[in-house]
Amino acid sequence: IDVAAASQKPALLYDGIEQNNGLVLFGATQQYLLSADDSTAGLTQDTVRLGTIGYYLYDKDVRPVNMGTTVGFSNMGGKSFRFFEMADITIDGEPQVVEVSKTVSQLLPNLLTQIADSQEGSQLFFSNADPGRENEVWGFRYYTAGERRLQAAWHRWTLPGNVIYHCVMRDTY
């Protein structure tokens, strides 16, 4: 299938993540949704649709994550790290996007890097590369019931050594 992403800026695509209604694609300055016009016919050259759904900066070094019914992604838009959550993703309208890191923006390191995610445990862990803070892991825990976010909290762990790599396997960090 040959598809072009049209934009006034360069539209290099760096990452994608599957959602129920299509594939969310991330460029440096835009997000797109790749979907099919007719879900019963499948994805073909004749049914494919690619539409812009957002104009947020995207940090290509930190992969996006599936957070159940939403998608999380990071950007380095200013001089510090930001983490956004995108909900209600459709090709026909703008999604809802919330900066979930806003409440702790003054505390977070500038260079949060790797994400370790647990969709089952509803939590994310971020390692960082700030000089002198490489032993910190920042966590984001959320609780969603249906379409409503009932609780969300950030926490920080200080480890005895620097984080080189981290992951969550079978809901265990």
Side-chain angles (χ1 to χ4, degrees):
I1 298 175
D2 187 20
V3 178
S7 175
Q8 294 178 354
K9 298 179 181 178
L12 297 174
L13 301 177
Y14 294 106
D15 222 324
I17 192 160
E18 180 185 355
Q19 282 287 284
N20 288 342
N21 53 352
L23 182 66
V24 179
L25 300 171
F26 291 87
T29 59
Q30 267 177 280
Q31 293 75 47
Y32 304 90
L33 181 64
L34 177 74
S35 64
D37 279 335
D38 182 7
S39 61
T40 59
L43 190 63
T44 68
Q45 184 68 36
D46 296 328
T47 63
V48 70
R49 286 180 67 190
L50 182 67
T52 301
I53 56 171
Y55 294 93
Y56 295 89
L57 295 176
Y58 171 67
D59 183 2
K60 64 183 169 89
D61 296 326
V62 182
R63 67 177 174 80
V65 292
N66 189 327
M67 298 172 67
T69 59
T70 62
V71 171
F73 66 97
S74 65
N75 91 11
M76 295 297 287
K79 58 184 177 180
S80 62
F81 170 87
R82 291 177 174 161
F83 189 74
F84 291 90
E85 188 173 9
M86 186 181 290
D88 297 327
I89 302 168
T90 66
I91 201 154
D92 298 321
E94 294 237 354
Q96 294 179 10
V97 179
V98 176
E99 181 186 346
V100 296
S101 60
K102 193 150 193 80
T103 57
V104 291
S105 62
Q106 299 298 313
L107 302 171
L108 290 172
N110 293 332
L111 299 173
L112 285 174
T113 53
Q114 299 174 14
I115 295 179
D117 63 306
S118 171
Q119 190 174 345
E120 298 83 16
S122 301
Q123 53 190 340
L124 307 170
F125 300 99
F126 302 87
S127 62
N128 84 82
D130 270 11
R133 297 178 76 178
E134 297 95 339
N135 65 332
E136 290 181 1
V137 172
W138 284 81
F140 176 67
R141 176 91 187 212
Y142 54 96
Y143 176 67
T144 305
E147 297 292 320
R148 291 192 55 219
R149 172 71 42 87
L150 299 179
Q151 186 173 10
W154 285 88
H155 61 276
R156 178 181 63 107
W157 292 338
T158 303
L159 304 177
N162 292 348
V163 178
I164 297 169
Y165 180 79
H166 67 159
C167 68
V168 175
M169 294 176 68
R170 294 187 182 156
D171 210 23
T172 302
Y173 180 72

